[in-house]
């Protein structure tokens, strides 16, 4: 709880990942991704309730083992490849408010696929939401200018073209404004925005910029990279 506002942490972890089957159960240096995020949540005292939203019994079992509750089973309709985060979070919030007979004013989404996240970054994002009056906060990282949208290319019917027409006018790095990408460390949103809006990017959404290296796991190569980073620390 922070400023008398109850906080619900939701870990979305469906079982049907196509890139890496049962990705959320993959081990990094002897710990599953579910174990890593569950242990981190247990260290954050301001979180009142933490649950996993999953359609998979193995993920439920692993979550419960490390103190992450699984009071419901996510429906198949909310477990497909093209289901966004918003309906999953909204579903989890409404189910948990009914189960717990309480209201959660702040919802924090912590995806298992960002195992390099640090407790201070999660607390910082929550604190920014509350203290600065935002409706949502996303953790982001600065994008290397080499990968700026105006420098990207597409192949259209065999022809190479700029992704953005403005790209043809870019000569020097100094012409480019900094851009940022979401790093998956934390998404924090107020209850009213989650209920009343159709996505997590609320009308008043703030960035919480993280300068440390973060990797969102999509491939086996990502797991190897994270493993090396964690060993080096």
């Amino acid at each position: 709880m922070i400023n008398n506002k109850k906080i619900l942490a939701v870990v979305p972890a469906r079982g049907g990942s196509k890139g890496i089957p049962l990705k959320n159960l993959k081990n990094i240096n002897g710990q599953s991704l579910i174990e890593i995020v569950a242990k981190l949540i247990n260290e954050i005292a301001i979180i009142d309730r933490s649950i996993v939203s999953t359609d998979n019994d193995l993920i439920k079992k692993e979550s419960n083992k490390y103190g992450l509750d699984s009071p419901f089973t996510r429906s198949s309709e909310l477990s497909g490849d093209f289901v966004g985060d918003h309906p999953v979070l909204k579903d989890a919030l409404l189910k948990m408010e009914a189960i717990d007979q309480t209201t959660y004013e702040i919802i924090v989404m912590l995806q298992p696929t960002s195992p390099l996240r640090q407790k201070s970054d999660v607390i910082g994002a929550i604190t920014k939401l509350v203290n600065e009056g935002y409706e949502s906060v996303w953790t982001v990282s600065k994008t290397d200018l080499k990968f700026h949208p105006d420098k990207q290319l597409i192949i259209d019917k065999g022809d190479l073209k700029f992704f953005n027409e403005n790209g043809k006018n870019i000569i020097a790095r100094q012409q480019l404004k900094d851009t940022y990408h979401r790093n998956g460390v934390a998404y924090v949103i107020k209850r009213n925005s989650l209920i009343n809006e159709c996505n997590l990017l609320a009308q008043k959404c703030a960035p919480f910029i993280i300068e440390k290296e973060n990797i969102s796991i999509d491939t086996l190569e990502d797991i190897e990279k994270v493993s090396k980073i964690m060993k080096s620390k």
Side-chain angles (χ1 to χ4, degrees), residues 148-153 161-172 175-177:
H148 192 283
D150 285 348
K151 296 187 73 173
Q152 300 308 300
L153 305 167
K161 298 181 179 180
F162 281 105
F163 171 74
N164 187 330
E165 278 297 308
N166 188 51
K168 64 181 67 173
N169 301 316
I170 302 300
I171 299 172
Q175 293 175 269
L176 300 171
K177 292 182 179 180

Side-chain angles (χ1 to χ4, degrees), residues 23-28 31-38 62 112-115 217 223 226:
K23 175 170 61 178
N24 296 299
L25 293 179
K26 288 297 181 184
N27 278 327
I28 297 181
Q31 297 184 93
S32 72
L33 293 177
I34 286 289
E35 178 183 350
I36 292 170
V37 69
E62 181 76 356
T113 46
S114 293
I217 291 177
I223 292 178
V226 170

Side-chain angles (χ1 to χ4, degrees), residues 2 15 23 25-26 33 50 80 88 100 105 108 111 127 137 140 145 150 154 172 190 205 213 225:
I2 183 170
K23 175 170 61 178
L25 293 179
K26 288 297 181 184
L33 293 177
S50 59
V88 172
D100 294 344
E105 290 91 351
V108 184
Q111 297 162 313
T127 302
V137 172
V140 297
L145 288 179
D150 285 348
I154 60 170
K190 288 183 178 177
C205 181
E213 184 174 17
K225 290 177 185 176

Side-chain angles (χ1 to χ4, degrees), residues 6 8 49 72 90-107 191-192 194-195:
K6 284 190 176 181
L8 172 69
R49 186 81 148 101
F72 62 88
K90 184 175 179 180
D91 172 72
L93 170 65
L94 295 178
K95 279 187 168 65
M96 291 312 304
E97 289 188 334
I99 291 170
D100 294 344
Q101 291 294 291
T102 192
T103 298
Y104 294 103
E105 290 91 351
I106 298 171
I107 301 86
R191 183 186 189 279
N192 287 344
L194 182 61
I195 295 295

Side-chain angles (χ1 to χ4, degrees), residues 4-192:
N4 294 317
K5 299 181 186 298
K6 284 190 176 181
I7 300 174
L8 172 69
V10 179
V11 176
R14 70 189 183 97
S17 173
K18 293 294 187 292
I20 305 176
L22 286 176
K23 175 170 61 178
N24 296 299
L25 293 179
K26 288 297 181 184
N27 278 327
I28 297 181
N29 301 338
Q31 297 184 93
S32 72
L33 293 177
I34 286 289
E35 178 183 350
I36 292 170
V37 69
K39 286 181 174 178
L40 180 130
I41 291 172
N42 290 337
E43 295 178 0
I44 302 177
I46 61 174
I47 291 177
D48 298 279
R49 186 81 148 101
S50 59
I51 60 105
V52 64
S53 171
T54 186
D55 59 333
N56 185 275
D57 288 339
L58 291 176
I59 292 175
K60 278 192 171 192
K61 184 177 179 181
E62 181 76 356
S63 300
N64 297 162
K65 183 178 177 181
Y66 297 102
L68 194 57
D69 202 3
S70 55
F72 62 88
T73 299
R74 195 198 301 184
S75 68
S76 58
E77 290 79 11
L78 290 177
S79 301
D81 294 337
F82 299 103
V83 177
D85 295 319
H86 178 268
V88 172
L89 278 194
K90 184 175 179 180
D91 172 72
L93 170 65
L94 295 178
K95 279 187 168 65
M96 291 312 304
E97 289 188 334
I99 291 170
D100 294 344
Q101 291 294 291
T102 192
T103 298
Y104 294 103
E105 290 91 351
I106 298 171
I107 301 86
V108 184
M109 181 171 72
L110 300 172
Q111 297 162 313
T113 46
S114 293
L116 294 177
R117 69 165 55 87
Q118 296 186 12
K119 177 175 67 174
S120 58
D121 294 326
V122 178
I123 294 173
I126 295 171
T127 302
K128 183 165 189 171
L129 178 92
V130 173
N131 290 348
E132 299 183 26
Y134 287 99
E135 294 299 313
S136 64
V137 172
W138 289 18
T139 60
V140 297
S141 301
K142 186 183 289 188
T143 302
D144 190 310
L145 288 179
K146 291 193 296 292
F147 306 110
H148 192 283
D150 285 348
K151 296 187 73 173
Q152 300 308 300
L153 305 167
I154 60 170
I155 298 175
D156 183 16
K157 297 178 181 178
D159 296 330
L160 194 63
K161 298 181 179 180
F162 281 105
F163 171 74
N164 187 330
E165 278 297 308
N166 188 51
K168 64 181 67 173
N169 301 316
I170 302 300
I171 299 172
R173 291 165 60 92
Q174 290 77 12
Q175 293 175 269
L176 300 171
K177 292 182 179 180
D178 287 334
T179 61
Y180 298 84
H181 58 274
R182 42 186 166 178
N183 52 37
V185 169
Y187 296 83
V188 187
I189 188 166
K190 288 183 178 177
R191 183 186 189 279
N192 287 344

